[in-house]
Each structure stands twice: as C-alpha cells, then as structure tokens.
Amino acid sequence: MRVGFIGLGNVGGKLAGSILRNGYELSVHDLDQGLVDSFVAKGAARGESPKQLAETCDVVITCLPSPAACAAVVEGPGGVLEGIGPGKIWAEMSTTDAGETRRLADLVLAKGAEAIECPVSGGCHRAATGNISIFAGCTRETFERALPFLTVLGRRVLHTGDIGSAAVLKVVTNYLATANLVSLAEALVTCKAAGIDLNTSYEAIRISSGNSFVHETESQVILNGSRDISFTMDLVAKDIGLFQSIAEAHEVPLELSPLLNRIFEDAVGRYGPRELSPNIIKRLEEATGLDIRAPGFPPEMLDDEPEEPGYEVVPKQRFEAAAE
C-alpha cells in the first residue's frame, strides 16, 4: 500500500514516522521543506503537491493545524480533490470541525473515493511509538479496508460511526484533557502555597482517585519547568472553542466550558498563541509569586511502552452482542 502524508508537524511527523518505520511506501508533503527533507533522507519520497500524492498513492492522509488549512489542501488549487478517484482513500487525522469534515468528505466521495476521519488521542510521545489511540468515523466497509494501516499508526482503534462522529469525540476528549490541565495547575499551586512538598504532591495525586492521564504526563513537564508537551495554547483554544460550539448548537447549558475558554483567551493574550499549553500555570505562578518546579521530573515525555500491534476497540454493548 502506497501512503501519502500531508502535514509533518508535531503530531503528523510522528505518525508519518510510524508508517515509514513499518515498511510502507511513503510519500510526504509539507510547506516546511526542511521537514520533508528529513523524511526523504530516511527513505520517503518527496510529494510535489497534494494532487500528485492523491494520484500516486492508495491512501492520502492529512494532519493539519486547522479546518482552514485542511480545506485549502483538499479543495484548493493542486489539492487532493484534483487527483483522487475510485479505489483511493482520504484519511483526515486533524482535530477539526465535524461539519467541515463532513463537507470535505462529501466532495471526496463525489469523486468515487472513500473518506475516513481518524483523529488521534494520547500525546505526541505515543504518536512517536505507534501506541496512540485513534477514533475512526466512516462507513464500516471503509473502516475495515483502512484498519491495516490504522493499526500501524495507533494501538487502539475505535470505529465511532459515520463521518463527523470521530471529530466530535476528539473535541470532547480534548476538552476533558483541558479541564484536567487547568484543575491540576490549581492543585499544584495550592499544594505549594500550603507548604506541601511538590514531589510528594505529585505521588499523592498519582496513586489516588484524583489521578488522570494528564497528571501522569503534563504534571511531570510542569514540575520539570520545561512545560514541553508539544502542544500550544492556540490549539487548546481552538479545541475547546469547537467543544463549546457543539454544545451551543445542541442547546446544552454548560458552565465549566465557557470559563475554560475565558481562561485560555486570557493566557493567549498574555503569553501569545504559540506558548506551550502547560504554561497555563504561569497565570497562577505570577499571581502568587510561587515557583512550581521540583527535581527529578523529565523535560519531555517519552513512551516507555514497546510498540505493539494495534487492534480494534469494540464498544461494550456490541462486544457482548457478538459474544452471544
């Protein structure tokens, strides 16, 4: 299977690395030619344009920072739509708007190709090892055709339903991660203010009912001081804004979500859109004059689990019905 990958940023570059590492014929394209050069040096082919990748590859994957960027790559001049056709698959791995994903997917389907949205969750360190989780929205037939390369990109793959369902669930999980991050920032600063050792505080949270994936990852780089989780405040603001829009569209009267949006709007205004997202804690560090760092924590997260073959995650009700 020939795979074309468009978007070699923090997440996309690691996902494309899994494709190359597992022996697929890979072509890559990015506006940053330095990123493309690094993949060509490892054995990938240089993609001249999204159109050319769609013409020459069986699967074209996009992993881009915004809905606008994805639309430009898919339907702009020299875009995916100009080259894709029957027998091909477009796989959208960005975190994006469900309605926009459905709109672009309809354009791809009209060309006789197949479309799947497959955003990932689990952090850049797991994307690097192929151990990240993937949500896949598409028809069941497309899912089964895509599963072989999806289980190379990630370990746990969940078929979420039709196009658009994965985008909604990805935004939901990113919203929950943001709520975790902000509450952890408040917890760690409060522990420090109360005179509790931060190393002890980290372990207390880790072994308790207050634990979370975000604590075991982002709290470590917060306490190290690097704050480097390879994710920036503008991306958080985009994701939680999308979540708020979904809730408003369905008339859900949320209370926490608007507050989180205001917190990140303030942080982007203070520190800039490209500030690392765990530095949301700087708002409280500045307000209290406290330094929330502790010895012994890593500057970045590395996945210490070995790369394992991926598999489909089956929802409980469907799993039980299949077993009967």
Side-chain angles (χ1 to χ4, degrees):
M1 178 179 284
R2 296 164 297 175
V3 179
F5 206 105
I6 303 170
L8 302 173
N10 286 333
V11 176
K14 294 175 177 62
L15 293 169
S18 290
I19 291 289
L20 189 61
R21 185 173 61 252
N22 283 279
Y24 281 77
E25 185 179 340
L26 177 69
S27 298
V28 294
H29 181 74
D30 195 280
L31 294 177
D32 185 335
Q33 289 305 305
L35 295 175
V36 174
D37 291 343
S38 68
F39 269 87
V40 171
K42 297 173 187 175
R46 187 184 305 274
E48 299 303 323
S49 67
K51 174 186 176 182
Q52 185 257 334
L53 289 185
E55 289 173 336
T56 59
C57 297
D58 302 300
V59 178
V60 179
I61 299 172
T62 50
C63 190
L64 299 160
S66 68
C70 186
V73 164
V74 173
E75 62 182 346
V80 169
L81 285 176
E82 293 184 9
I84 205 163
K88 307 293 183 75
I89 299 175
W90 169 56
E92 163 64 306
M93 301 199 76
S94 316
T95 301
T96 188
D97 174 76
E100 180 69 351
T101 302
R102 283 190 289 264
R103 184 184 74 82
L104 293 175
D106 285 343
L107 296 176
V108 170
L109 294 171
K111 291 285 187 175
E114 296 177 69
I116 178 172
E117 49 157 356
C118 40
V120 298
S121 183
C124 284
H125 62 298
R126 288 189 174 174
T129 58
N131 286 330
I132 204 161
S133 297
I134 299 177
F135 301 153
C138 57
T139 66
R140 184 67 199 181
E141 292 76 16
T142 298
F143 176 79
E144 290 176 357
R145 186 178 171 204
L147 194 58
F149 73 83
L150 291 179
T151 52
V152 167
L153 289 162
R155 184 189 296 185
R156 301 170 184 88
V157 183
L158 176 66
H159 182 217
T160 58
D162 293 335
I163 291 279
S165 59
V168 171
L169 288 169
K170 170 59 175 173
V171 168
V172 167
T173 60
N174 278 15
Y175 164 75
L176 290 170
T178 303
N180 270 246
L181 174 60
V182 172
S183 62
L184 283 163
E186 294 186 350
L188 291 171
V189 173
T190 300
C191 285
K192 178 77 171 187
I196 307 297
D197 175 76
L198 286 175
N199 293 74
T200 303
S201 299
Y202 174 83
E203 293 300 335
I205 297 169
R206 187 184 67 82
I207 65 172
S208 73
S209 58
N211 193 31
S212 66
F213 175 82
V214 175
H215 177 59
E216 292 191 353
T217 54
E218 299 196 42
S219 287
Q220 295 204 60
V221 297
I222 286 174
L223 292 168
N224 171 272
S226 77
R227 314 285 160 87
D228 186 3
I229 205 69
S230 297
F231 207 69
T232 52
M233 288 188 177
D234 58 337
L235 297 177
V236 173
K238 177 200 71 173
D239 292 347
I240 61 177
L242 288 170
F243 177 79
Q244 180 65 30
S245 296
I246 293 169
E248 290 174 355
H250 295 280
E251 300 182 348
V252 182
L254 302 181
E255 297 177 272
L256 182 57
S257 173
L259 176 58
L260 290 176
N261 277 272
R262 289 195 297 272
I263 288 171
F264 268 89
E265 181 181 2
D266 175 73
V268 168
R270 294 189 193 201
Y271 312 122
R274 302 305 293 168
E275 178 64 84
L276 293 164
S277 58
N279 262 328
I280 195 70
I281 200 171
K282 286 173 66 175
R283 297 169 72 254
L284 289 173
E285 287 181 310
E286 292 172 355
T288 62
L290 297 173
D291 180 11
I292 310 302
R293 290 183 293 178
F297 292 97
E300 62 180 347
M301 295 309 302
L302 299 174
D303 188 9
D304 57 5
E305 296 183 44
E307 183 172 3
E308 295 183 1
Y311 57 89
E312 180 184 359
V313 175
V314 180
K316 185 175 177 59
Q317 185 176 8
R318 184 150 54 89
F319 176 81
E320 290 179 340
E324 291 176 356

